[in-house]
Each structure stands twice: as structure tokens, then as C-alpha cells.
Amino acid sequence: MSLRPRAHIHLSNIADNWRTLQAAQNGGVTGAVVKADAYGHGLPQVAEALHDAGCDHFFVAHSYEAEITRARLGSHPNIYVLNGPSPDEEALYRENALIPVINSSFQFRTMADWLVDGVKMPRGFALHFDTGMNRLGLPLSDATEIAEASEAQSPILILSHLACSEDAESAMNAHQAEVFSSIIAAFPGVPLSLCNSGGVWLGEDYHHALTRPGIALYGGGTPPKGVNLKPGMTLSAPILQIRQIDAGETVGYNATWRAEQPTLIATLAIGYGDGFPRSASNKGFAMLGETRCPILGRVSMDLITIDVTKAADLARPGVYAQLIGPEAALEEQAALAGTIGYELTTGLTPRVKRIYET
Ligand SMILES: *Cc1c(COP(=O)(O)O)cnc(C)c1O
């Protein structure tokens, strides 16, 4: 048996989370964001599970991610490329029937050049307007001009992105929603999309025609009380060694942890080389059965040391301890490491063996 860390990917949980998001929306269509290898869960497998569950709208960041999605799902679903097109990609967009998301006047000209001979994009195109995040998207001041320029083939979707959706109290949410609504005047009848996961939880005023949840599909983010998302993955690593140490001894690089009493230590085969963050040193935890075992000392490249004093009956070589999953909430583990669930799952490297469960 291999001693690799592993991530069981719970495809049916991910599909259930998609259904939960759908149920939270009063009408409107629920899409799925599967960029960055489906937040580390595996793009083709996750896209297929969601397509089987009824999802028809997939969002990725890059055209190569869109190609992978198209190859797996066939011709049916709509696939949007959030980062937009580059001038040399016309054939790729046409052959894969990708929907470019136009974020800038440069990208708009890029696509206009593709349309000169009157051949429309196979599935149309989307426009992304910046309503206050100042990260990516067309400026509002361009709305009228772009609307006139795109008359020959009008956009199939107008989207914008919320900056503070995970904070329901933030005044930015209502502000952005209002600015977004003002754009519609220039594009009568074109469907709208504003919500990421956090936006879905803000309520139906935000939902519009299509939503774009990502992190919630994978069981993360900040769903409101009463919404129970299921974990998208269970990350676990096997114990390599057990050692009893005496009071006064230290653990790991730079001896950052010192035992105040005799302590039973287990060494797990996972580290920052697997994408488990070094910032979890002396802060994160692993679960052995139902016992919470604090990480002791530094997370190193291949190894982590945990305190198994209270789980001595279970601690033996080859037993897997859980780091993310039903017993070890993704966002809690991430917060202890000073990060967010997105970064934790997305950062897991190929050394973590993915095992797909339906
Ligand atoms: C990543 C992304 C999403 C998904 O956001 P979550 O917070 O993961 O739900 C939605 N829309 C855009 C434009 C994105 O870049």
C-alpha cells in the first residue's frame, strides 16, 4: 500500500451542493465555476458529475480549462471563459464553441476582429462590467458605446462580480447591485449574472438569470445558518511513525514546539510539498477518529507531526488521519493556517492522490 496522502473527492456531495444552491434560488439558473481544476477537486470529473446533475453552464478562467471541459462534456453545455480571449485564439474558441467573456475594450476589439466576415461566435459572447471591484471588467462608462458596437451580434449574458459577497452586512453588495441594474438600460432583454457563492446567499434580489457559484460547490465559503453544505473532499495522510517524547523535548525544524509533559507524537506523510500550508505550523490539526490532534512544530515539505496522546488507541503506522473533510471543516482548517478554503484546496499538489467517489 502506498503511503501517499490522498483526497477522496465526493462527487455526489458536490452535486448535492449544486442542488442546494439551486434550491436557494427562486428561479434563475445555477451554473458552476470549475476553474483551477475545480478548486483542486479535478476539473473533468467534477464537470461531468455536475453536468449529470443537470448543470448546463460552466465557468472557467482559461481557454485551456474550457477545452478540457468541452472534451469531457461534449457539445451540449455552455462554457464561459472568464479571463477572456487573446487575439490568436479564434480557432480554439470556434472549434470548442466557447463563450468568450469580454472584460476590456481590447478584448472587445479582439472579438470584433473575429466577427468582421460576419461569422458569429457559435454560442455568442458575454460582457463583464466592473461595478466597483476594480479588478477586471469593462468600465460602466463604456456601456452605451459597447451596446451600439455589439448590435450586429448582441451579448448573450451581462455579468459582474461582487467584491464583498461573503459579508452580508457590507454596503458594497447593495451598491454593486444597484450599479449593475443601471447597466441593463443599455442592454434591454439580455440575461444577467451577478452572484458567486456568497451572492447566492444574499437573496433573490441578487440572483438574476444565472448564478456562478464556485466555493459552495466544494463545501466552503460562508453559507448562512441552516444551509448545510457537504464536504467536496476528504484529505487524509497516513501515519509513518509514532514516538513517545519526554517533557522538555522539542519537535521539528527550528524546535518551535517544546513538550511540557510526556507526549505521544505521530508523524504524517503530508507537508507543504503536497500543498498543506506551512502557515499551519503549531496551529492546524488532524483528526484521528473523533479526536482532534493538534499539529506540533513546523509543517515541513513531506511531513507533519501531530499530538496523538489522546488517541493512543488508534495511533499506529498506516492509519490515515483526516486534515480536511467531514470531521475537519475546510474553512476552520484554512482559517487556522491564516488562509481561506479556496487557497487550501486549490493549492493541493499532484502528489496528493485524488480518488473519485460517486
Ligand atoms: C471565481 C469566480 C466566481 C466563483 O466565486 P466563488 O466565490 O468561488 O463562488 C464567480 N464569478 C467570477 C467572475 C469568478 O472569478
Side-chain angles (χ1 to χ4, degrees):
M1 193 187 67
S2 148
L3 293 170
R4 271 171 81 178
R6 62 195 186 193
H8 287 92
I9 307 299
H10 308 302
L11 294 173
S12 60
N13 285 358
I14 294 170
D16 284 347
N17 291 338
W18 183 77
R19 290 185 197 98
T20 299
L21 285 152
Q22 206 181 26
Q25 279 178 239
N26 209 342
V29 172
T30 308
V33 179
V34 291
K35 62 195 179 186
D37 202 28
Y39 293 40
H41 295 69
L43 169 54
Q45 294 87 350
V46 167
E48 185 172 83
L50 290 170
H51 191 231
D52 289 348
C55 182
D56 285 332
H57 298 267
F58 293 87
F59 292 85
V60 293
H62 292 283
S63 55
Y64 89 92
E65 298 172 318
E67 274 185 280
I68 293 169
T69 310
R70 178 63 78 209
R72 183 66 166 233
L73 301 185
S75 61
H76 175 65
N78 285 334
I79 304 172
Y80 306 77
V81 183
L82 289 167
N83 280 9
S86 118
D88 58 350
E89 292 187 308
E90 179 176 0
L92 187 151
Y93 271 77
R94 290 194 182 282
E95 282 160 19
N96 291 283
L98 308 182
I99 300 172
V101 176
I102 304 300
N103 298 290
S104 65
S105 51
F106 177 78
Q107 291 186 348
F108 190 77
R109 283 196 302 278
T110 293
M111 202 198 45
D113 285 347
W114 297 354
L115 300 175
V116 277
D117 45 7
V119 188
K120 294 183 173 187
M121 295 306 292
R123 303 278 173 102
F125 64 92
L127 294 173
H128 174 196
F129 282 96
D130 190 321
T131 51
M133 191 161 177
N134 287 315
R135 182 183 67 167
L136 186 65
L138 291 152
L140 288 178
S141 51
D142 283 7
T144 314
E145 195 187 324
I146 294 273
E148 283 166 12
S150 50
E151 235 169 59
Q153 183 184 4
S154 64
I156 58 150
L157 188 72
I158 308 283
L159 62 100
S160 190
H161 194 47
L162 295 165
C164 305
S165 66
E166 79 286 3
D167 175 10
E169 305 299 311
S170 171
M172 267 296 269
N173 296 321
H175 171 71
Q176 286 192 267
E178 196 184 314
V179 172
F180 191 50
S181 298
S182 75
I183 304 168
I184 334 176
F187 299 93
V190 179
L192 304 177
S193 174
L194 180 59
C195 287
N196 64 339
S197 302
V200 172
W201 311 131
L202 292 176
E204 62 180 303
D205 289 353
Y206 290 80
H207 294 161
H208 296 290
L210 176 64
T211 59
R212 312 184 305 274
I215 193 69
L217 297 171
Y218 312 105
T222 50
K225 283 202 179 60
V227 173
N228 289 314
L229 299 174
K230 300 178 178 178
M233 69 162 65
T234 298
L235 175 69
S236 56
I239 295 175
L240 298 179
Q241 170 193 289
I242 311 282
R243 170 154 309 167
Q244 177 74 44
I245 64 167
D246 294 332
E249 291 196 72
T250 65
V251 173
Y253 281 125
N254 305 98
T256 62
W257 189 85
R258 183 181 298 274
E260 281 170 9
Q261 58 209 25
T263 305
L264 191 64
I265 310 279
T267 303
L268 303 180
I270 188 170
Y272 62 78
D274 305 284
F276 196 81
R278 189 166 173 275
S279 54
S281 299
N282 284 311
K283 297 208 168 97
F285 66 101
M287 296 296 295
L288 209 49
E290 288 177 0
T291 307
R292 193 177 166 110
C293 305
I295 291 176
L296 305 181
R298 285 273 154 84
V299 170
S300 52
M301 188 183 292
D302 315 311
L303 301 166
I304 283 177
T305 33
I306 59 172
D307 180 350
V308 295
T309 309
K310 292 182 180 143
D313 51 332
L314 286 176
R316 53 179 193 282
V319 169
Y320 276 74
Q322 187 179 118
L323 296 126
I324 298 171
E327 309 296 331
L330 170 63
E331 293 297 349
E332 184 186 4
Q333 186 74 277
L336 290 169
T339 184
I340 51 178
Y342 300 73
E343 192 180 34
L344 190 48
T345 62
T346 304
L348 297 176
T349 69
R351 206 162 74 171
V352 175
K353 184 170 174 54
R354 269 66 165 185
I355 299 165
Y356 289 93
E357 289 178 348
T358 47

